[in-house]
Amino acid sequence: MPCKVMAACVQSCRAESAMVNPSLSFVDPSHRTTLCIDGTNLAHFTVDLPMADEVWCLIQEEARADAEKEPLLLMLYYELVLSHTTLESALAAHLAAKLAVPALVSAGALHELFSSAFARDAEIRRAVRADLLAARDRDPACAKMVHCFLYYKGFLALQVHRVAHRMWAEGRRAAALLLQNRSSEAFAVDIHPGATIGAGVLLDHATGVVIGETAVVGDDVSILHGVTLGGTGKEAGDRHPKLGDGVLVGAGTKILGNVSVGEGAKIGAGSVVLKEVPARTTAVGNPARLVGGKENPARLERKAALTMDHTSWSEYAANS
């Protein structure tokens, strides 16, 4: 890749990242730490981290490193990552290309829609970065954030949902349902645009995840594939589950009805949850029951979503 092109990609991080929440910085803002971009046949460039979007600069550096090792990726990484000055620009183009329908829904129109939503909504911009960091920190298969950005359909489906949810709230419900439908077809993840989802959410593998209209998912939640946050089929109105911050939901779990899963709780794989699960407890089985019993359930010391420990018995056994 020409050095002048790379220089423009890296140096533009600084000017274009004023929108980024500084709380996501990887460095102490009081220190003027620098990130050096160097490598074979590439010039040396320096980016002042406190002035730049660290998440995006690191993703670009990861892309450059991958492309140097694997020439097959050079054009892909350039078009999807290195040619863009901001994370928002790259994400809008990436999602538009994924969801476009030839002769029916143009990539250009979708690109404009996503770009506008990202530009107007600081909360979406913050959540995008939090989701990337969640994948890097919690998914042992995620070696680099650039891999999540490019390939992880759970991450991509979440970002489509964030825009669809904004449109739903603004009354643009037909367009929001279009995004839901295309996302479901492209990523095998079906999230109703009415659902409310926090930041720092990890949809691990994500295939077959279904989230209903009135569901609420808190911050820092981890959800595995095949999970349904659905209704019982007998209710109208507010009829879907509410997950607190830091909840971990194992693969194949079904949580049905307007039931609450408390902060930091763990739901074992394959469980069917029909009743409330208290905070920092573990529920397993069909129907789900609390590990340790209803009267004296085993308590988790940390939020389950952050530990990603899928064993339902470990804390209980240690305290028995």
Side-chain angles (χ1 to χ4, degrees):
M1 183 180 301
C3 292
K4 291 183 179 179
V5 174
M6 180 63 71
C9 293
V10 175
Q11 292 175 343
S12 62
C13 287
R14 186 181 333 192
E16 298 289 343
S17 61
M19 66 180 66
V20 179
N21 187 334
S23 66
L24 290 176
S25 176
F26 291 126
V27 296
D28 183 348
S30 65
H31 297 84
R32 300 188 66 79
T33 308
T34 58
L35 170 67
C36 293
I37 310 297
D38 59 6
T40 304
N41 297 323
L42 293 176
H44 291 65
F45 308 108
T46 300
V47 177
D48 189 4
L49 283 181
M51 296 296 292
D53 178 351
E54 288 83 5
V55 170
W56 183 234
C57 285
L58 286 174
I59 287 175
Q60 287 196 313
E61 169 61 3
E62 291 170 348
R64 182 199 60 79
D66 274 2
E68 283 187 342
K69 293 178 180 178
E70 180 52 75
L72 176 66
L73 300 174
L74 183 61
M75 185 56 67
L76 175 71
Y77 276 54
Y78 175 73
E79 290 294 333
L80 297 183
V81 178
L82 295 170
S83 65
H84 293 273
T85 58
T86 66
L87 174 55
E88 287 73 22
S89 169
L91 184 58
H94 191 25
L95 294 178
K98 290 284 189 181
L99 302 191
V101 181
L104 294 177
V105 183
S106 73
L110 289 173
H111 184 277
E112 183 177 351
L113 186 154
F114 286 122
S115 295
S116 176
F118 295 152
R120 291 183 293 133
D121 197 322
E123 180 56 30
I124 292 180
R125 299 195 297 269
R126 183 187 75 85
V128 169
R129 289 162 175 80
D131 293 345
L132 286 164
L133 292 168
R136 183 199 65 178
D137 294 341
R138 285 183 241 153
D139 183 354
C142 184
K144 297 181 179 181
M145 284 189 291
V146 69
H147 300 162
C148 176
F149 175 83
L150 290 174
Y151 308 131
Y152 284 28
K153 57 188 179 182
F155 167 77
L156 296 173
L158 273 175
Q159 310 327 312
V160 175
H161 168 73
R162 298 193 188 285
V163 175
H165 181 68
R166 178 187 173 95
M167 297 173 67
W168 185 264
E170 293 174 342
R172 301 178 63 187
R173 297 197 167 188
L177 290 171
L178 169 67
L179 292 185
Q180 176 197 5
N181 173 258
R182 289 296 303 125
S183 182
S184 178
E185 292 176 337
F187 306 125
V189 177
D190 194 351
I191 309 174
H192 192 284
T196 301
I197 298 180
V201 174
L202 171 63
L203 299 185
D204 194 353
H205 291 286
T207 301
V209 168
V210 176
I211 300 178
E213 178 183 5
T214 60
V216 176
V217 176
D219 295 334
D220 301 319
V221 170
S222 297
I223 297 175
L224 274 290
H225 54 281
V227 167
T228 297
L229 306 182
T232 62
K234 301 187 296 183
E235 301 171 330
D238 191 358
R239 61 196 183 279
H240 295 108
K242 312 296 183 284
L243 306 188
D245 295 346
V247 167
L248 171 61
V249 185
T253 291
K254 314 303 176 187
I255 307 176
L256 305 177
N258 187 9
V259 298
S260 297
V261 178
E263 177 191 35
K266 180 191 304 184
I267 311 298
S271 299
V272 177
V273 178
L274 302 173
K275 296 181 180 180
E276 177 182 356
V277 178
R280 302 295 180 102
T281 63
T282 299
V284 296
N286 180 8
R289 292 177 171 83
L290 297 180
V291 171
K294 183 177 180 181
E295 301 302 322
N296 188 30
R299 297 288 176 176
L300 302 170
E301 294 184 2
R302 296 183 60 197
K303 293 179 180 178
L306 304 183
T307 68
M308 294 297 287
D309 178 5
H310 293 275
T311 59
S312 60
W313 47 266
S314 57
E315 291 86 357
Y316 176 66
N319 296 321
S320 296

